[in-house]
Amino acid sequence: MTNTIGITALIPPELIYACGHRPLDVNNVVPESSLSPRSKLCAWTALWRDLILTGSLDIDSLVVVAGGDCHNALVDGQKVSLSGLPTHYFFYPFDTNTQYLHSQLKSLEGFLGGIKDHKMFKYIYRLKKKGLALEKQRVNDNARASDIFSALICFSDMQSDPYEFENLIDNIPDTDVEYSSRVAMIGVPPIYPDFHKVAEEFGLHIVYDELPYEFIRLGGNDLQGLAKSYKDYSFAGPIKSRIKIINHELQKRRVDGVIHYTQFACHHTLEDEIFRDYLDYPFLTVQGDLPGPTPEQLKLRLEAFSEMLEIMP
Amino acid sequence: MNIGLDVGSTTAKIVLLDKSKIIRSKVVSSHNWKELLDTNTDEHIIVSTGYFRRKVPHSAAITEITAASLGVRYYVPDAQVIVDIGGQDTKVIDLRNNRFMINDKCSAGTGAFLELAAHYFNIPIESLGKLHSRTQRSAQINNTCGVFAISEMISQLVAGYTIEEVIHGIHEAFAHRIAQMIPPTNQVVLIGGTVLNTGIVNSMETILDSTIVVPPEPQMINAIGAALYREIRSYSKS
């Protein structure tokens, strides 16, 4: 029987598909939500929690990324679990230990009822290769960042239907983009669904989205291969390694500036000072809270950043 | 001739610039901005800035951050960090690396906070600086929330502090709040209408280890920057 498995952060989607189920990244429905969460710190976790508890999200079980994501997810995941929904907790290693991650993947495989279709590993691998090609397309100024972001952010679950998803990404238009500056987005993704379009209006071409880029990491054909690949999931590891990865990507993509998106009451906000010290680029920090259209104050920041990059020495 | 028109949340300012020389400048309240323009003013020479920049005649509209960066250099060519204290927000601009921060989610470090305090004491906001200078003693105000700070002010009055000492304390709390946003630097340029309050400047000087520079007419800087924008653009195009 095919079940819908809610996931709260990056979980290898190839494993869920290989076990005969479909993943649903519960974050991907948050930006379109108009719910007012009852008690909240970070709106991302509070909203997926309430969407599940109110029955607005149709899932059969939940996999909570408890290590390598946030403690809000751990608590909100337990609230969901107390409602009776089968819940599994997944922990990434902080020290990139392959054996530890292998044991976590083995335990997740058990929760999902075991691998039934090995072919899915290869199929998802092929899809992710297409994701990497899309990424290249925008870096080479041949695609709008808003189109690429919308596709990449869905690589965490392939919209619960990889075949339909493949059709969708095959139809992303080739477009020559014009812009005034190339920028990178680091941190968690913005909670505002129109954010990338707004940035485009101000002449900012986003050539790197840190977290969605992590989603298109190529996994292996078995648990060992997945463990080797996903152990480097940067959000779960030490910030030193993350800075190294980000700096490498910024240089490769020839960015003019960096935008750090932070989420109100998210612990990642504390990383802002570190990034400002270690990323030697014009740097803009923005913060969001509840979903909706990008607020005017935030637009002012984007506009000012764009002006600064364009006219300042 | 170039015109910089800065229509902010509280006041509107105009600066006429001819070959980088200020010919005329004027301030009115925001809602009376039309008084600043003659009926025959050529829209093509106006660069606007401020909250209402797109609502007023302009050939180009630039953000207050860009306007401040250009305007401050008019008086302080070697400026490092600008702190623009406006009616609704406070902006910190680090010119050394083109980075900036804006505080606009909370009134505690903005002109609105001081207006709230002046309103409570039923005194004109312009008199806060004078009252500040009458004492060296300060009532401690810890609260970073503008509204709760008023409750704290009341408690300090009840505890026996004078109005002057409470105002001194408010200015220090205000300065502490802004200081958290300022990167390490040996020079800070303060601009914005709130800087006309000498109590704020005094408190910033006490708290920060940096040289504080207040340019002439600090509330006009963004309008100057807007007027300079056209000069810089036409220079870079020629």
Side-chain angles (χ1 to χ4, degrees), chain A residues 276 279 281 301 303 307, chain B residues 53-54 63 66 99 102:
Chain A
R276 281 176 174 268
L279 303 177
Y281 289 85
R301 287 162 169 78
E303 190 181 357
E307 282 177 2
Chain B
R53 64 189 177 281
R54 294 194 204 289
T63 62
T66 302
R99 293 180 175 185
I102 310 179

Side-chain angles (χ1 to χ4, degrees), chain A residues 30-51:
Chain A
V30 165
E32 302 297 339
S33 170
S34 56
L35 270 186
S36 298
R38 274 181 306 116
S39 65
K40 88 171 208 6
L41 289 175
C42 156
W44 282 108
T45 62
L47 277 165
W48 61 245
R49 175 204 65 207
D50 279 9
L51 285 165

Side-chain angles (χ1 to χ4, degrees), chain A residues 185-189 210-212 235 242 246 259-261 268 275:
Chain A
M185 285 287 298
I186 62 167
V188 295
E210 188 197 0
L211 188 64
F235 263 61
R242 211 175 131 201
I246 294 171
I259 300 173
H260 182 203
Y261 176 82
H268 283 297
F275 286 137

Side-chain angles (χ1 to χ4, degrees), chain B residues 84-104:
Chain B
D84 179 2
I85 309 172
Q88 294 296 313
D89 57 32
T90 291
K91 304 174 186 82
V92 176
I93 307 160
D94 191 339
L95 293 169
R96 297 166 300 181
N97 50 21
N98 287 348
R99 293 180 175 185
F100 62 88
M101 285 178 83
I102 310 179
N103 157 45
D104 63 7

